[in-house]
Amino acid sequence: SFDTSIGHDFIDDAESRYEFYHRKEERMPFDIDLLNKVTKGGLPRKSMSVLLATTGGGKSLVKCHMAANYLMQGKNVVYITMEMAEERISERIDANLMDCTLDELKMLPRDVYEKRINRIKSKATGKLIVKEYPTGSAHAGHFRHLLNELKMKRGFQADVIFIDYLNICASSRVKGAAAANSYTLVKSIAEEIRGLAMEFNAAIVTSSQFNRDGYGNSDVDLTNTSESMGITHTADCILGLISSEELDNLGQLMIKQLKNRWGDLGYY
C-alpha cells in the first residue's frame, strides 16, 4: 500500500505536536501514593516494568497484590505464570482481596467463601484471567496467541499483563546454540515482551532476579541484575524489592527505584 506518512515535519506539524504535549496519557494507578508520584500517575500503556528481587523476595507477592488492585479498579488483567500453578496464583489473589492469610483462606467454610466471592464480583468491573505454561517453554508467540484468542472468543482486551517471570520464558528468535549465551537470550526475551506491550496497547509487569552480589544487599543497583544487562536496557521502569530482618519483623518490603523513564531517579 502507499504510505503517506514519511516522518514528522518539525515546522509544519508543530500544531499536532502541541496537541501531543497536552494530551493526557491514560495510566494504571498503583494503590501506593508514592509509586504514583514517581511514575507520574501509574503505569502507562505500551510499557514494560520489571521487579527485581532475590529468590523468595516477594516478586510474585507484589504482582498478585497489583493484579488484585487492578481488577478492583475495573481493568482487564491477564496473569501468565510459569513458576506456580494457576490455582496457587488465584489463591494469593483471593487472600489479597479477602484480606486474610493463606492459612485462614483454607479454613473458610464454603458459604463464607461464596459470600465473599459474590461481594468481590459485585465490586469488580474488570476481569482477571490466570494462565499457566510449563517453565521455559512459552515465548512471546504463545502469549500473543493467548491474547488474540481472548479477544476473539471472549471480547476480552487486556489492560495490564503480568508475566511470572522474564528469565524462565523462552525466546521466539534465539534458539539452539545461541541460547547458551544468557545475555543474548534474556535480552531478546525482554525485547519480544516489550514488543507485545506495544502491539496490544497494554502495560506489562514482569520480574527478574538479583545476581549473587544482590543477595542480602540492602542497597542494590542496576548492576545487581542477574543473567543479562539486556533487561535493564529494555525496561521502562525497574523497581528493586529489598528485604532485611528488620523489615521482615515489621512485615514490610522496601522498594527502590533503579530505572524510571517517566521521572527523575533523584526525586524521592
Side-chain angles (χ1 to χ4, degrees):
S1 64
F2 183 75
D3 189 1
T4 53
S5 164
I6 43 170
H8 176 85
D9 189 310
F10 188 79
I11 304 294
D12 294 348
D13 294 339
E15 184 67 32
S16 68
R17 192 162 66 247
Y18 182 82
E19 293 291 322
F20 170 76
Y21 295 156
H22 294 270
R23 192 184 308 144
K24 193 155 172 33
E25 190 177 17
E26 190 197 343
R27 288 181 178 253
M28 324 282 171
F30 294 95
D31 57 348
I32 298 170
D33 289 336
L34 212 53
L35 283 179
N36 286 330
K37 279 183 180 165
V38 298
T39 55
K40 304 250 168 68
L43 299 176
R45 292 180 182 272
K46 299 186 180 181
S47 68
M48 182 176 90
S49 306
V50 179
L51 305 171
L52 284 185
T54 59
T55 303
K59 298 186 295 293
S60 300
L61 177 121
V62 173
K63 286 198 292 272
C64 289
H65 173 85
M66 287 170 73
N69 168 45
Y70 286 133
L71 172 68
M72 297 317 281
Q73 277 184 35
K75 306 287 185 221
N76 283 340
V77 183
V78 174
Y79 197 115
I80 294 167
T81 170
M82 279 163 281
E83 197 171 35
M84 289 195 280
E86 290 171 0
E87 295 78 15
R88 286 272 168 253
I89 296 293
S90 302
E91 179 185 34
R92 287 180 173 212
I93 293 170
D94 257 340
N96 232 301
L97 292 171
M98 294 178 187
D99 198 18
C100 63
T101 66
L102 292 173
D103 293 334
E104 286 165 2
L105 184 65
K106 290 190 176 83
M107 308 292 281
L108 283 182
R110 181 185 286 269
D111 58 327
V112 177
Y113 176 76
E114 284 173 357
K115 206 176 284 176
R116 289 188 182 184
I117 283 291
N118 287 331
R119 198 182 305 145
I120 292 166
K121 203 186 285 183
S122 65
K123 286 184 188 170
T125 49
K127 269 199 162 338
L128 170 65
I129 305 288
V130 184
K131 173 76 175 142
E132 69 175 88
Y133 289 97
T135 304
S137 66
H139 53 64
H142 296 92
F143 308 152
R144 181 178 292 108
H145 176 70
L146 170 71
L147 295 167
N148 282 330
E149 290 282 288
L150 285 169
K151 201 169 171 181
M152 206 162 53
K153 293 176 180 170
R154 295 200 190 174
F156 175 100
Q157 204 152 354
D159 297 308
V160 192
I161 302 162
F162 292 90
I163 298 174
D164 197 0
Y165 64 105
L166 196 74
N167 301 56
I168 53 175
C169 293
S171 167
S172 58
R173 297 178 297 174
V174 179
K175 290 183 173 73
N181 173 359
S182 67
Y183 174 83
T184 311
L185 175 68
V186 177
K187 186 174 192 294
S188 73
I189 294 169
E191 286 168 353
E192 288 159 25
I193 286 179
R194 195 177 188 290
L196 210 62
M198 299 181 83
E199 187 181 333
F200 287 92
N201 193 30
I204 287 185
V205 180
T206 182
S207 53
S208 187
Q209 302 211 354
F210 285 138
N211 60 13
R212 208 173 295 173
D213 293 341
Y215 279 63
N217 187 346
S218 61
D219 190 29
V220 290
D221 56 36
L222 285 182
T223 58
N224 295 123
T225 312
S226 72
E227 287 194 278
S228 175
M229 283 301 281
I231 297 172
T232 63
H233 305 156
T234 312
D236 294 291
C237 176
I238 298 179
L239 301 173
L241 308 179
I242 302 163
S243 53
S244 63
E245 263 182 64
E246 299 86 65
L247 288 168
D248 287 345
N249 293 334
L250 293 167
Q252 293 179 349
L253 258 182
M254 181 159 81
I255 298 177
K256 181 181 178 186
Q257 50 167 341
L258 304 176
K259 179 182 179 179
N260 185 355
R261 275 196 180 136
W262 313 306
D264 179 7
L265 281 182
Y267 178 64
Y268 291 111

